[in-house]
Structure formats: structure tokens, C-alpha cells
Amino acid sequence: KKNIAVMTSGGDSPGMNAVVRAVVRTAIHLGCNAYCVYEGYRGLVIGRDEEKQVDYIRQMGWEDVRGYLSLGGTLIGTARCKEFFERDGRLRAARNMVVNGIDALIICGGDGSLTGADRFRAEWPSLLEELVSKGDLTKEQVAPFQHLNIVGLVGSIDNDLSGTDATIGAYSALARICEMVDYIEATASSHSRAFVIEVMGRHCGWLALMGAVATGADFLFIPEKPREDNWKEEMCQVIKTGKRKTIVIIAEGALDRHGNKITPTMVKDLLADGNGLGLDTRITTLGHVQRGGTAVAYDRMLGTLQGVEAVKAVLEATPETETCFIAITENKITRKPLMAAVKETQEVAKLIDAQRFNEAMALRDTE
Ligand code: F6P
């Protein structure tokens, strides 16, 4: 019987619980034992805390994941774990995997978490060797675990990985952004004010761009379209006084063409004073409301379908198979090589389509 573990890692995202539920139940359905690693890589590194009598790697039954679909966050916990990025942390993690008899690991997280997983898999033989040579494990103990089988699922609100149309959580965060901008619009119109709304996304502008399209924002700053030197004049030209409301959306990673950060305060100061605009302006940082809360239907569906596929992928993998992740492309759930997607993400921005960008932004209100 194979022992398959699932873990969530990095920033939580809506839909991660759907993944955990799908992996646990599919594994059991296909005759395997299902495990959860609690608290991300931190839990894998610790394994068991003797003092607190806590096991971070726990076997799961069918009923243990009841109700998971409709709850937000990740119920098995997550962490941004520095120890795992050191070899010593990975040695401890490998030991805990062997001691608990885990054959395969399914990880739902962002590109950093998945890159860490690929490294863990590449180092696996040397980690086992070192554990045996140090006397932490015996040759007999490691013998059944010669190959580590890992599959990734992209859980992130940022939608920042190439090779998949959507990451798990992105549409929930986008829905939350729209809801929040709608609320802000009501008060902005009441006071004839301007609002600069900062949205998450780290180095990626997908949430900001789609949020701007979906709410009809007046102006937008995203890292993939670094603003030219004349951005101040450009913005002042677009945003005229006399409108009842003005909404500017700024991605947290917004840049100018020299790579300098454009901040909400810079934009606010300009709206308030620049070129005679003199708008009564407020800044709203949406922050973690974008990440919390329940998942929209799309993310529950995506997490479930991809979770099922991830279990099938670990059962079909051979030692020669590259580390893969589960993608959705043109509405089909597929397996793709992980590191190629990570590399492509670093080389080409996912969402540049200048023409569509300009077309969408031209639909703003003029009065
Ligand atoms: O990657 C998801 C994300 O929410 C980013 O959009 C944001 O930059 C970051 O995580 C915030 O991280 P933390 O929750 O650790 O502050």
C-alpha cells in the first residue's frame, strides 16, 4: 500500500482545502493510505514535537476532511519555512518522511514552495546516504524509499506561474477585490473622492489588471507594464476633475521603467496636488482580506479536479519522470514539467497583452 502525503506551503490561498480533501479521499479510494503534513515544510522538518506531544505528519481518514470545501484558509496550516531551504532542514525532513513511511508527497503552494520541492527530490538519494552514514537511519530503513515522488499543485492568489491559466485561489482573491472596490465606490461617489487601492500579487500584476478590468478603474499600475517617465502627466490627463469618483488600482509590485517602485503615496500626492487636480484622495490597502474567506466555486472545482489528478500522477510516476505540476490549460487538467514553468515565469511575464490592456482601460467613465 502506498502512503501518500499532502501538504500546503507558503501563503495560504482559497481552494487549498479543496485540494487536501480531494487528495485524501482519492488516495483512500485508490487503495492508498492518506497523510497530511501540518504547517507546511515546518511540519515536515519537525515531524514530531516530543515536548508538546504533537505529530505534524498524521494519517487521515475519509471523514477527517468533511466540510473542507466550504472553509477558507488552509485547515492543515502552512508556513514560510527558512529551515527547509538549508540542507540540514531537508535532512530532517527526509528522515521524517522515511520514519513515517511516506512514499509520495503532494505539495500545494507557490513557485517558491514548488521549487523547494524539486530540489528536495533532486537531492533525495544524497540525503538518504548522509542519514545512513551519520547513523540516523539504517540501510534497511531507507531501502524501500529509493525514489522520492513529488507532485506540485499551484496554490497562490497571485496567478503568477506560467503554463497554467489559473492558480488555485486567484479567482477567489479577484472576486474579493471586486467586492471591496464596489464598497469603496459607494463612499467615493458620496464624497466625490479619489481612491488609490493597493492590491496584492507580489511581483505579478494579474490581480490588479483583472481587478481594474472588472471594476472599470480609471488608472492602473502593474509591474508588467512599467510606467514611462511621463506617467504623472499621463495620469493627470486621464483623470479629470469634476468626476464623482476616481478609482486608481495599483499592484503592490508596481514599477516605473527604471525599475523604481511606484507607491500608493506617490499616486495619492499627485491626485491631491498634481497639475491642479486637487482631488480629495484616500488610500486603501486591501491586504489579507484578499486571501482569506471562502473559495469561489471555480477554485473549489479547480482544487478538487487537480487534487484527484495529482494522486493519479504520483501513482503513475517512474523514477525517470520529471517533477510535474498539475495545470489547467484551455479548461483541461494536465500534467506539466515543473521547472520549465518556473523558468518561463522568470523569463516572460504572463499577462502582457498591451492591446487588450489599452482597450479595457479605454472603457473608463468620463464623467
Ligand atoms: O503570494 C501571496 C501573497 O499574498 C502576495 O500577494 C503577497 O505579496 C504576499 O503573499 C504577502 O505575504 P505575507 O502573508 O507573508 O505577508
Side-chain angles (χ1 to χ4, degrees):
K1 244 188 182 186
K2 259 201 173 314
N3 295 329
I4 300 176
V6 60
M7 177 173 101
T8 52
S9 171
D12 64 302
S13 70
M16 281 183 163
N17 291 327
V19 167
V20 172
R21 173 182 175 274
V23 170
V24 166
R25 290 193 170 174
T26 306
I28 294 170
H29 179 69
L30 296 177
C32 305
N33 294 315
Y35 290 80
C36 281
V37 179
Y38 283 73
E39 314 305 339
Y41 285 120
R42 199 167 80 81
L44 200 61
V45 170
I46 299 172
R48 177 175 166 78
D49 186 329
E50 283 301 342
E51 207 174 299
K52 294 188 187 142
Q53 299 270 297
V54 174
D55 281 312
Y56 287 88
I57 303 174
R58 289 178 223 159
Q59 189 169 356
M60 305 291 281
W62 191 271
E63 291 306 324
D64 291 330
V65 288
R66 181 195 282 259
Y68 268 41
L69 280 175
S70 56
L71 296 171
T74 163
L75 292 159
I76 63 170
T78 184
R80 300 196 194 278
C81 171
K82 285 198 198 81
E83 289 96 318
F84 189 76
F85 289 86
E86 307 288 328
R87 180 155 169 107
D88 194 48
R90 291 194 292 280
L91 270 173
R92 290 171 62 194
R95 184 182 173 280
N96 289 327
M97 296 259 300
V98 171
V99 167
N100 285 278
I102 308 297
D103 308 290
L105 188 58
I106 294 172
I107 298 160
C108 182
D111 64 340
S113 301
L114 300 184
T115 304
D118 182 67
R119 178 143 188 220
F120 190 43
R121 185 186 165 187
E123 274 184 358
W124 184 254
S126 79
L127 292 170
L128 293 192
E129 225 170 81
E130 191 171 335
L131 287 166
V132 170
S133 73
K134 284 181 171 161
D136 284 336
L137 293 173
T138 64
K139 272 195 176 148
E140 292 67 36
Q141 270 178 305
V142 302
F145 299 95
Q146 286 314 304
H147 303 287
L148 175 62
N149 204 342
I150 283 189
V151 170
L153 288 157
V154 201
S156 168
I157 62 164
D158 301 339
N159 204 5
D160 56 350
L161 194 77
S162 281
T164 186
D165 294 344
T167 56
I168 299 162
Y171 278 95
S172 300
L174 180 59
R176 197 67 31 80
I177 290 168
C178 290
E179 196 185 341
M180 296 304 135
V181 174
D182 289 350
Y183 292 158
I184 289 168
E185 278 190 2
T187 177
S189 291
S190 305
H191 285 262
S192 298
R193 275 179 175 161
F195 275 80
V196 181
I197 303 172
E198 189 190 71
V199 307
M200 278 187 169
R202 206 182 291 269
H203 307 297
C204 177
W206 187 88
L207 281 174
L209 173 58
M210 297 308 163
V213 171
T215 60
D218 295 283
F219 209 76
L220 171 68
F221 294 90
I222 53 172
E224 293 83 353
K225 191 178 186 294
R227 287 284 170 187
E228 295 299 326
D229 290 342
N230 66 346
W231 70 264
K232 294 184 175 168
E233 292 77 32
E234 209 188 320
M235 186 176 80
C236 291
Q237 213 170 22
V238 166
I239 294 171
K240 313 230 166 42
T241 46
K243 276 179 47 160
R244 281 214 72 89
K245 68 162 171 63
T246 300
I247 301 288
V248 175
I249 294 190
I250 177 163
E252 62 179 346
L255 300 170
D256 68 16
R257 75 179 186 91
H258 306 287
N260 299 318
K261 227 174 135 40
I262 299 180
T263 64
T265 311
M266 287 160 73
V267 177
K268 178 192 167 202
D269 290 348
L270 192 69
L271 291 171
D273 304 320
N275 292 7
L277 282 180
L279 295 173
D280 186 9
T281 308
R282 298 287 186 276
I283 294 175
T284 301
T285 304
L286 293 185
H288 289 78
V289 293
Q290 295 162 96
R291 240 167 58 189
T294 58
V296 296
Y298 183 84
D299 284 324
R300 299 179 195 201
M301 176 275 286
L302 191 60
T304 301
L305 296 179
Q306 293 194 333
V308 171
E309 182 65 12
V311 175
K312 290 197 202 155
V314 294
L315 291 176
E316 288 164 20
T318 66
E320 288 73 41
T321 321
E322 265 183 85
T323 310
C324 77
F325 77 102
I326 311 298
I328 181 159
T329 30
E330 296 183 350
N331 259 342
K332 294 204 173 47
I333 306 290
T334 52
R335 297 174 200 172
K336 290 193 170 174
L338 173 66
M339 291 322 286
V342 171
K343 191 160 175 274
E344 195 181 294
T345 303
Q346 285 155 2
E347 283 168 4
V348 288
K350 187 173 171 178
L351 55 79
I352 293 183
D353 182 344
Q355 194 190 334
R356 294 232 185 285
F357 175 91
N358 292 332
E359 285 165 355
M361 294 313 293
L363 303 179
R364 66 178 74 84
D365 295 339
T366 49
E367 296 281 305

